[in-house]
Amino acid sequence: MRSTQRLDKLLAHAGWGTRSEIKKLVKRGAVTVNGRKVKDSGLQVDPYEDHIQVGSEPVDYKEFIYIMMNKPPGVISATEDVREKTVLDLLGPEASHFRVFPVGRLDKDTEGLLLLTNDGKLAHNLLSPKKEVPKTYFAEVEGIVTDEDRFAFSKGVSLDDGYVTLPAELVILNVDAAADKPLSKIELTIREGKFHQVKRMFQAVGKRVVYLQRISMGSLQLDSHLSPGGYRELTEKELDNLKHSSTE
Ligand code: URA
């Protein structure tokens, strides 16, 4: 059964301002419900049944929002910070009023796929260690990444605190062994999310990650059209697939 809620609360959630601003809108006669001007901003409405308009604009009601961001380097994956710029500072008002939070963390210098949502259940499923949701990273690593590293990662490596990682898949894309400073390009898929995990896994085999970008999480792939700092809402298909990949 669907429930009703206060009109001012619904409009505030949909980005039409604070409750007092909405009260003013209602007073001005700018808000209609099913074609009738509303006088009371506390009116109970059914967001799925009633047709609500502000001026000539229909109110597009949604409870949850799901945003894919291409996180740039130099910002932190937090909701607020006194000193540092956060990923939320990159959002415009149309997205930020939903009180989204990042699903998991990327280091300040890590780039790439970051999901922002206000759907706590989906976030919980994606982050739950039990679900072992795969996350794939592209990395540039100083030195020559070898088949031995690939084998070691497939068995699990011991991190600096003694934790042994779950099996992970390493794909060696390119090794520039002839350069003054050899550099390897790789993709690594892990099914957990320990602090600095990718960097510490390479540290465990004596190597250093110099560039790190997340390219996928579950079924969700980073949209290559998003420039660093860019974001967009997930498509319905992406969301459906992601919900499935986090409940398997
Ligand atoms: N692993 C890391 O080392 N850093 C990240 O930001 C994500 C995974």
Side-chain angles (χ1 to χ4, degrees):
M1 202 181 73
R2 277 172 178 161
S3 58
T4 59
Q5 61 174 280
R6 284 178 65 106
L7 177 65
D8 51 3
K9 193 170 168 210
L10 183 145
L11 289 176
H13 192 82
W16 286 96
T18 61
R19 285 215 199 169
S20 63
E21 283 162 349
I22 287 158
K23 212 172 185 175
K24 281 181 201 153
L25 276 179
V26 168
K27 250 193 174 156
R28 272 201 273 129
V31 182
T32 59
V33 173
N34 303 324
R36 289 218 184 118
K37 270 186 197 166
V38 174
K39 292 194 188 89
D40 173 12
S41 60
L43 181 76
Q44 290 287 322
V45 290
D46 179 336
Y48 295 97
E49 292 294 330
D50 292 322
H51 183 73
I52 304 161
Q53 260 184 236
V54 178
S56 57
E57 262 194 70
V59 174
D60 175 21
Y61 177 79
K62 57 187 166 197
E63 187 175 7
F64 297 124
I65 187 168
Y66 306 88
I67 294 168
M68 174 195 299
M69 176 182 280
N70 182 3
K71 179 192 169 297
V75 296
I76 62 167
S77 310
T79 49
E80 54 184 10
D81 194 272
V82 279
R83 279 176 301 132
E84 308 272 10
K85 193 168 174 181
T86 75
V87 286
L88 292 201
D89 295 329
L90 302 175
L91 298 178
E94 82 293 351
S96 59
H97 78 264
F98 278 98
R99 295 177 188 276
V100 296
F101 53 86
V103 179
R105 280 173 185 249
L106 292 177
D107 297 337
K108 186 174 170 185
D109 60 353
T110 301
E111 302 182 24
L113 178 64
L114 187 65
L115 176 67
L116 297 154
T117 185
N118 54 353
D119 181 346
K121 190 168 162 217
L122 179 68
H124 175 81
N125 282 339
L126 288 168
L127 297 175
S128 164
K130 275 191 245 144
K131 299 277 165 54
E132 297 186 5
V133 172
K135 285 151 291 240
T136 300
Y137 293 85
F138 167 81
E140 293 180 3
V141 181
E142 260 176 16
I144 299 172
V145 176
T146 62
D147 271 350
E148 284 82 69
D149 298 331
R150 195 160 56 78
F151 185 71
F153 284 0
S154 74
K155 298 285 161 204
V157 287
S158 182
L159 301 183
D160 46 8
D161 57 1
Y163 175 79
V164 179
T165 59
L166 289 176
E169 286 124 53
L170 175 63
V171 177
I172 303 170
L173 300 173
N174 181 267
V175 178
D176 187 358
D180 278 354
K181 279 190 180 169
L183 189 77
S184 306
K185 294 185 179 171
I186 63 93
E187 274 180 20
L188 179 63
T189 302
I190 58 176
R191 290 182 169 70
E192 54 196 332
K194 300 287 171 207
F195 186 58
H196 296 330
Q197 180 155 346
V198 175
K199 292 172 185 165
R200 287 162 75 214
M201 285 177 75
F202 278 98
Q203 200 184 321
V205 294
K207 287 167 189 136
R208 197 164 77 94
V209 170
V210 291
Y211 173 80
L212 188 59
Q213 179 194 41
R214 181 155 64 193
I215 53 179
S216 72
M217 182 181 198
S219 59
L220 193 62
Q221 308 271 337
L222 177 64
D223 181 342
S224 60
H225 295 103
L226 283 178
S227 52
Y231 61 90
R232 66 159 170 81
E233 282 189 57
L234 298 196
T235 64
E236 259 177 53
K237 194 163 170 221
E238 283 172 331
L239 181 58
D240 275 358
N241 290 340
L242 188 62
K243 283 185 173 167
H244 276 112
S245 71
S246 67
T247 48
E248 272 157 13

